[in-house]
Amino acid sequence: MDHVRRSAETPTALHPSESSGGDSHELATASVEESVELAVVTRAGVVESRHIGSAVVVGPDGQVLESIGAPQRLMFPRSTLKPFQAIASLRSGALISPEAVALACGSHVGSRKHQELAASVLEAEGLDESAMKCPTAWPARTQDLRIHLEAGKTETRLAFNCSGKHAAFLAASRTNGWRLATYLERSHPLQQVIMDVITEYCGEEPTVVGVDGCGAPAPALSLTGLARGFSTLAASTSRRDAEVHAFTVNQAMLDYPWAVHGQGEANTLVLEELGLTAKLGAEGVLVVAAPDGTAVAVKVLDGSSRATNLVALSLLAARGVIELDALGPVLRKIVKPITGGASGEQVGSIRLAPALLDRL
C-alpha cells in the first residue's frame, strides 16, 4: 500500500539471559543500562524520584530525528494501538459514527456520556453489554462515580476504558457474520485484520503477542515502529494518498477529543488545545503526533505515566512542532505540581532530566 511506509529496521528484544529479571523464558524490554533518565521529581529542591526510559522522534518521512535510550527494543504499546484497531474495524465494515470511532480509539474515564455512546453502538447491532468480553469497571473519576451510584448502577463493561473499542469490534464482526463469542481470539478474522493494519502502518510484523488488560491480543513492537505508525496516521488528514479509514480515525479523534479520554484529561487537552494526535498506553507509554507527520513515542521503564506528557511534548517543541506560548498553558494543566499540606502548597515539581535537557 503506497500510503504506508515500511521500516527497514527490525525490532529487537533482549536475549533472555540479558533480562534484568533473569527469567529465561521471557523476552525483555530495554534494560536499565540502555535507558536514559527522562525526568526527575524534586521536593525542597532535592531530587526525590527519577523516571528513566526511552523515547524516539520521527519526521514526516519516517526517518528517526532523535533516538533516546533504546527505542529499537520490543515493548508492549498497549492502548496506543487502539487507533490502528479502529482502522481495522472500519476496514472490516463497522458502521459507526465518527464520535463512536473516537471512542473506539480511546482509553476513556467511563463517564455517563462515554457509557451511553458505547451502548448506542451495541444497540444499533441489536446487542447489549453482555456481548462484550472486556472486564467490568466503575467510572474512573469521583464525580462520574457519584452520578453512577446515584443512578443505582453497579460495575459495568460500558465503564471499562476500552468499551468503545470492544463495541467497534462487535460492530465489525456483526457486519461480516463472524462469531461474536470469539472476537478476541487471535485466530478470529477481525484480529487477523488488526495484525495486518499494525504491520502495514508500523512497518513491523509482531512476533510476540500477549494479552492486554481488556482481553484483546497485545502485540509487541518497537517504539520506533509505533512512532512511524502514528506519523502516517496523523498525516492522513493532509495526504491525498492516505487511506480513508486512517483519515476517518485521526479526524474523529481531533473532532471528538472528549471521547478519547475525558474532559480535562491529558489526551483530550492535547488533542483539543494543541491539535496533536495523542494516545496513552498502560505501563508508561505515550505517542503524540503532529499533522505534518512528526511523531514522538515514549516508554517509561517502570510503567509510570507521570512524566510522559512532559517528555513527549518537550521533544516536539524542540523540533519546532509546538509553539512554546501554546505549550506552557497545556503543560500546567497536565503536569501536576508536587504539593504538601491542606492548602495544596507547591513544594516540588516534575522537571526534564539534565541529560534530556542537554539533548534539546
Side-chain angles (χ1 to χ4, degrees):
M1 301 175 64
D2 292 340
H3 62 275
V4 176
R5 295 186 298 268
R6 288 188 178 273
S7 167
E9 299 178 14
T10 301
T12 59
L14 291 178
H15 186 276
S17 64
E18 297 176 311
S19 169
S20 59
D23 296 325
S24 61
H25 66 288
E26 294 180 347
L27 295 171
T29 190
S31 66
V32 172
E33 291 75 19
E34 290 176 300
S35 302
V36 172
E37 186 175 84
L38 301 175
V40 297
V41 178
T42 65
R43 187 181 299 270
V46 176
V47 173
E48 181 176 28
S49 301
R50 303 178 189 274
H51 294 296
I52 66 172
S54 299
V56 64
V57 182
V58 302
D61 59 358
Q63 294 301 306
V64 173
L65 303 177
E66 188 79 40
S67 178
I68 299 167
Q72 78 280 7
R73 294 294 189 190
L74 284 182
M75 41 73 71
F76 287 106
R78 304 295 295 274
S79 283
T80 62
L81 293 178
K82 284 178 179 174
F84 305 115
Q85 292 168 321
I87 290 173
S89 292
L90 294 177
R91 273 193 194 179
S92 300
L95 300 175
I96 58 178
S97 69
E99 203 169 20
V101 171
L103 188 71
C105 298
S107 297
H108 61 76
V109 296
S111 71
R112 180 169 61 185
K113 194 174 179 182
H114 289 110
Q115 293 182 51
E116 290 174 350
L117 182 53
S120 71
V121 174
L122 296 171
E123 184 178 0
E125 300 296 335
L127 302 171
D128 59 29
E129 68 170 288
S130 65
M132 293 196 293
K133 302 298 181 184
C134 61
T136 59
W138 297 101
R141 301 188 299 194
T142 302
Q143 65 267 36
D144 296 320
L145 178 59
R146 185 180 300 112
I147 294 171
H148 193 84
L149 292 173
E150 288 174 351
K153 296 181 179 180
T154 60
E155 285 185 301
T156 169
R157 290 179 174 85
L158 295 171
F160 191 76
N161 76 87
C162 302
S163 66
K165 176 180 78 173
H166 284 254
F169 283 176
L170 286 164
S173 297
R174 193 73 149 176
T175 297
N176 289 279
W178 293 332
R179 287 195 65 194
L180 302 185
T182 60
Y183 75 89
L184 291 183
E185 294 183 5
R186 285 182 59 185
S187 59
H188 193 275
L190 176 60
Q191 298 303 328
Q192 296 299 308
V193 177
I194 289 170
M195 291 300 170
D196 288 343
V197 171
I198 291 170
T199 299
E200 291 170 13
Y201 277 81
C202 298
E204 299 174 2
E205 183 174 359
T207 56
V208 177
V209 181
V211 178
D212 214 330
C214 70
L221 298 171
S222 72
L223 269 183
T224 304
L226 182 63
R228 286 189 172 121
F230 268 76
S231 171
T232 301
L233 174 70
S236 64
T237 53
S238 59
R239 292 184 57 173
R240 299 181 65 180
D241 61 344
E243 179 184 3
V244 64
H245 301 310
F247 172 87
T248 299
V249 164
N250 193 66
Q251 194 61 50
M253 294 176 73
L254 292 167
D255 288 344
Y256 302 99
W258 71 269
V260 178
H261 201 176
Q263 290 296 342
E265 302 296 331
N267 282 177
T268 294
L269 287 168
V270 172
L271 282 157
E272 65 186 6
E273 296 194 19
L274 297 176
L276 304 175
T277 302
K279 187 69 199 73
L280 60 81
E283 295 300 319
V285 185
L286 177 68
V287 193
V288 183
D292 72 346
T294 304
V296 58
V298 178
K299 162 67 178 176
V300 175
L301 200 56
D302 69 354
S304 171
S305 61
R306 180 164 56 177
T308 53
N309 283 283
L310 174 62
V311 172
L313 295 175
S314 297
L315 286 170
L316 287 179
R319 290 284 163 184
V321 174
I322 309 173
E323 294 292 337
L324 292 179
D325 288 345
L327 177 60
V330 174
L331 283 179
R332 282 192 287 274
K333 294 176 183 177
I334 294 175
V335 182
K336 306 303 181 184
I338 306 302
T339 60
S343 64
E345 177 185 359
Q346 182 170 347
V347 297
S349 63
I350 304 173
R351 304 175 182 174
L352 294 178
L356 189 58
L357 280 171
D358 289 343
R359 301 189 67 149
L360 300 181

